[in-house]
Amino acid sequence: MFSSRTDIEAIDLAPLIDHSLLSPTATAEQVNHWCAEVDRYGFAALCVAPVHVRQAAEYLHNHSAQVCTVIGFPTGAHTPAVKLFEAQEAIDNGATELDVVVNLGWIKTGQSDPIYKEIAAICEVAPVVKAILETTLLTDAEIQLAAEICMDAGVTFLKTSTGWQGGATVEAVGKLRELSQGRVGIKASGGIRTAEQALLLVQAGATRLGTSRGPELVRQQQAS
């Protein structure tokens, strides 16, 4: 994707970052702080738990940043009806992007039809859906199966990880890029701690970066 180190370093990380606040102890005060950082740094989106979506949407109303939330998080083992309700409620509360954890048990047992139906139903109610594949727990064959089903179901992005079962790797991003062939975006998420690491993931094919360290990454990049 990039021909030299100079090309990589020229990438502006800020517009690629989904600034994430998914700690179970997150407070309303922290949500406001994260919203302010999204606005200050020009991040692509703020990603918060469903309970904080309405607050984030009200704060970022008339701002360019998207409001993202997670569905079926972090296990993906919720029933399809629960995930669909969660998705619709999030949209009603102001979310514009949904990061949906795919049912890993269904992937492991090759249950293509229920995976497709679950994701397709959510894609019908949301403008942007990112399918979280939890790549650290899947074989290459399972990643391929999940990616193909999710793309057929209408997702906008394939996402590497929740961050709860390991994080993004250059190899996983490269695999998703190869499988997607430009049909969808690639979101790398989990364990992104340095600007150098973030840039390598972008070089591998990531078009979004999920991290709670967005401001730190931007400051690192500016200082380099």
Side-chain angles (χ1 to χ4, degrees):
M1 181 178 291
F2 303 104
S3 59
S4 70
R5 184 169 182 83
T6 301
D7 291 337
I8 298 171
E9 292 175 344
I11 297 299
D12 185 2
L13 288 175
L16 305 179
I17 290 174
D18 286 1
H19 193 30
S20 303
L21 178 61
L22 295 172
S23 168
T25 61
T27 65
E29 182 180 3
Q30 287 176 304
V31 173
N32 282 340
H33 181 70
W34 253 249
C35 285
E37 289 182 329
V38 166
D39 191 38
R40 175 184 173 186
Y41 289 95
F43 295 140
L46 172 71
C47 187
V48 292
V51 70
H52 299 303
V53 166
R54 186 179 294 276
Q55 178 188 349
E58 290 175 354
Y59 189 109
L60 294 172
H61 182 62
N62 290 329
H63 293 254
S64 60
Q66 302 300 308
V67 176
C68 174
T69 193
V70 287
I71 304 298
F73 190 84
T75 67
H78 306 63
T79 65
V82 167
K83 284 185 181 176
L84 183 58
F85 180 88
E86 191 174 29
Q88 185 62 69
E89 183 181 50
I91 295 298
D92 292 344
N93 284 337
T96 53
E97 300 186 353
L98 305 180
D99 287 18
V100 183
V101 188
V102 176
N103 187 307
L104 301 176
W106 287 349
I107 296 172
K108 288 288 184 182
T109 50
Q111 298 185 63
S112 302
D113 190 53
I115 298 170
Y116 176 87
K117 288 180 178 178
E118 177 177 273
I119 299 301
I122 294 173
C123 287
E124 288 182 3
V125 303
V128 174
V129 173
K130 308 178 197 126
I132 306 176
L133 306 186
E134 208 70 277
T135 53
T136 59
L137 301 182
L138 302 178
T139 66
D140 284 350
E142 290 163 351
I143 292 171
Q144 181 174 352
L145 175 67
E148 290 175 350
I149 294 169
C150 290
M151 288 189 291
D152 288 345
V155 302
T156 321
F157 288 81
L158 298 173
K159 180 177 172 181
T160 61
S161 328
T162 60
W164 289 57
Q165 301 290 341
T169 65
V170 167
E171 292 75 19
V173 169
K175 178 71 172 177
L176 295 180
R177 178 189 176 193
E178 178 184 349
L179 291 170
S180 68
Q181 293 293 303
R183 291 171 58 189
V184 297
I186 306 297
K187 179 174 175 179
S189 185
I192 304 174
R193 295 180 173 86
T194 67
E196 181 179 7
Q197 182 186 9
L199 290 167
L200 289 173
L201 291 166
V202 174
Q203 182 186 28
T207 55
R208 284 282 189 93
L209 302 167
T211 177
S212 61
R213 296 177 170 86
E216 182 180 346
L217 299 187
V218 171
R219 289 193 293 268
Q220 288 178 17
Q221 187 178 31
Q222 292 172 343
S224 64

